[in-house]
Amino acid sequence: MVRQVHPKVLAVTGPHATQEVMDAVHLHVPKPHDPFVDLVPAAGIKLTPGTTPT
């Protein structure tokens, strides 16, 4: 009913639904570019050296 009256409303949630609010925002607004996080590969970074076969 709320969305029928106010079509620009992204979501209707309860007062303590922080994660639901963030999910609704992320669905409609692109995540801002963070150069410190966005450059890390999805597999992560290995900080220990690899072993070499002998």
Side-chain angles (χ1 to χ4, degrees):
M1 185 168 127
V2 172
R3 287 186 176 175
Q4 291 173 349
V5 177
H6 302 283
K8 292 185 178 184
V9 169
L10 298 180
V12 178
T13 65
H16 298 287
T18 306
Q19 189 58 49
E20 290 178 31
V21 170
M22 295 307 295
D23 291 343
V25 169
H26 289 145
L27 279 175
H28 297 282
V29 178
K31 185 180 111 177
H33 175 69
D34 183 352
F36 297 106
V37 176
D38 294 340
L39 296 176
V40 176
I45 298 173
K46 185 176 181 180
L47 298 176
T48 57
T51 58
T52 57
T54 56

